[in-house]
């Protein structure tokens, strides 16, 4: 069986270093090969730059101190004179995960996404992990993995990913179901006050129905559930305030011309304070397995 592969984009920024360390830890959890990727035309302010991008790229990769994280899984490197989004999208064709910082060298520090992070969430052919500015893994070590309960029973792929990540980390899953005045989970669309006890009972039943097959596959993962009729953005911000990871699904198929992201995913990517994995409708890399039910993450051992 082919070893999983995690690609991380680096550009010499402090946030890229944080993303690289996160990717190395994730590779160790999964038993995956780590690939460091640098687009040689990426903007840099390192001086002197007269040595040219080739020498700078070489120095950048030498500075990547994760080379020796596991002698049995050597780190690979890719340097190409290419636009970062194009390079990482190409590498995502064979990767199991692409990791990027929320912004690069040319953008002011903050939680707003840079063009590379947003571009990868839109175009990557595998799941994408976005690491926010100021993230410190140690501060929230052992904290839960948060995942939203989808409006469609068929859209369980983010749940399988969240449970697999939680098991690899030894932490619980916090499953969040938020709704508004419109209930999309029934056979017909119902317009009901979001605080209605009848609607809350219906949502609880729906949550259990969606989670049951996933919990059966991961019986050793504890589950916390959150039900709320408040705005989804507010509910998810509260749920991720002490979380170690958020897993989001994308609304559209990967082949959509302009974006595979739904409005909720696009908004939350801009706000969430913890690392976020965005799951597209990607094909499983195991022959004959349905991507809708495939748990694509395997912990080492």
């Amino acid at each position: 069986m082919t070893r999983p592969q995690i690609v991380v984009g680096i550009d010499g920024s402090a946030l890229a270093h944080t993303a690289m360390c996160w990717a190395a830890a994730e590779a160790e959890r999964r038993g995956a090969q780590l690939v460091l990727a640098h687009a040689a035309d990426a903007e840099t302010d390192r001086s002197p730059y007269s040595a040219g991008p080739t020498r700078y790229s070489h120095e950048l990769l030498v500075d990547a101190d994760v080379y020796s994280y596991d002698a049995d899984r050597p780190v690979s490197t890719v340097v190409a004179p290419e636009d970062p989004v194009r390079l990482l999208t190409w590498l995502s064709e064979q990767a199991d995960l692409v990791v990027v910082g929320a912004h690069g060298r040319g953008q002011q520090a903050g939680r707003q996404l840079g063009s590379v992070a947003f571009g990868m969430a839109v175009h990557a052919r595998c799941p994408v992990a976005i690491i926010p500015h100021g993230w410190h893994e140690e501060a929230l070590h052992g904290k839960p993995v948060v995942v939203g309960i989808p409006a469609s029973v068929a859209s369980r792929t983010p749940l399988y990913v969240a449970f697999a990540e939680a098991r690899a980390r030894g932490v619980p899953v916090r499953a969040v179901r938020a709704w508004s005045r419109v209930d999309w989970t029934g056979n017909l669309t119902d317009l009901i006050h979001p605080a209605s006890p009848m609607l809350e009972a219906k949502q609880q039943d729906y949550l259990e129905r969606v989670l049951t097959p996933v919990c059966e596959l991961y019986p050793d993962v504890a589950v916390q559930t959150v039900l709320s009729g408040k705005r989804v953005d507010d509910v998810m911000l509260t749920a991720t305030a002490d979380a170690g990871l958020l897993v989001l699904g994308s609304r559209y198929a990967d082949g959509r011309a302009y974006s595979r992201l739904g409005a909720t995913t696009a908004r939350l990517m801009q706000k969430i304070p913890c690392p976020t994995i965005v799951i597209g409708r990607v094909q499983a890399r195991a022959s004959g397995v349905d991507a809708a039910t495939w748990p694509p993450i395997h912990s080492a051992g």
Side-chain angles (χ1 to χ4, degrees), residues 74-158:
V75 176
S76 300
T77 61
V78 175
V79 177
E82 183 60 87
D83 171 80
V85 174
R86 287 175 60 89
L87 173 61
L88 292 173
T89 299
W90 175 70
L91 292 173
S92 75
E93 293 281 356
Q94 299 300 320
D96 294 83
L97 180 71
V98 170
V99 182
V100 293
H103 58 79
R105 298 188 65 90
Q107 186 161 327
Q108 182 179 1
R111 291 179 184 167
Q112 296 299 312
L113 292 186
S115 59
V116 174
F118 192 84
M120 291 312 300
V122 171
H123 298 297
R125 308 305 296 178
C126 69
V128 176
I130 299 170
I131 313 304
H133 173 73
W135 175 252
H136 298 288
E137 187 84 13
E138 298 80 9
L140 292 177
H141 179 72
K143 299 300 183 180
V145 174
V146 176
V147 63
I149 298 296
S152 170
V153 175
S155 304
R156 288 196 180 100
T157 302

Side-chain angles (χ1 to χ4, degrees), residues 184-214:
W184 298 98
T185 63
N187 293 326
L188 298 174
T189 299
D190 300 322
L191 184 62
I192 309 175
H193 192 278
S196 164
M198 179 181 70
L199 180 55
E200 183 170 350
K202 182 178 179 181
Q203 295 294 337
Q204 178 67 47
D205 177 72
Y206 174 74
L207 181 147
E208 293 174 358
R209 182 158 49 96
V210 173
L211 284 178
T212 294
V214 190

Side-chain angles (χ1 to χ4, degrees), residues 258-278:
Y258 61 90
S259 177
R260 68 179 187 169
L261 300 179
T264 299
T265 297
R267 288 197 313 271
L268 289 175
M269 285 167 49
Q270 302 275 356
K271 302 175 181 179
I272 297 301
C274 66
T276 300
I277 294 182
V278 180

Side-chain angles (χ1 to χ4, degrees), residues 6-31:
I6 294 178
V7 174
V8 56
I10 59 174
D11 62 4
S13 66
L15 182 53
H17 180 79
T18 300
M20 180 181 63
C21 293
W22 189 95
E26 184 71 4
E28 187 172 5
R29 281 188 288 266
R30 300 189 186 200

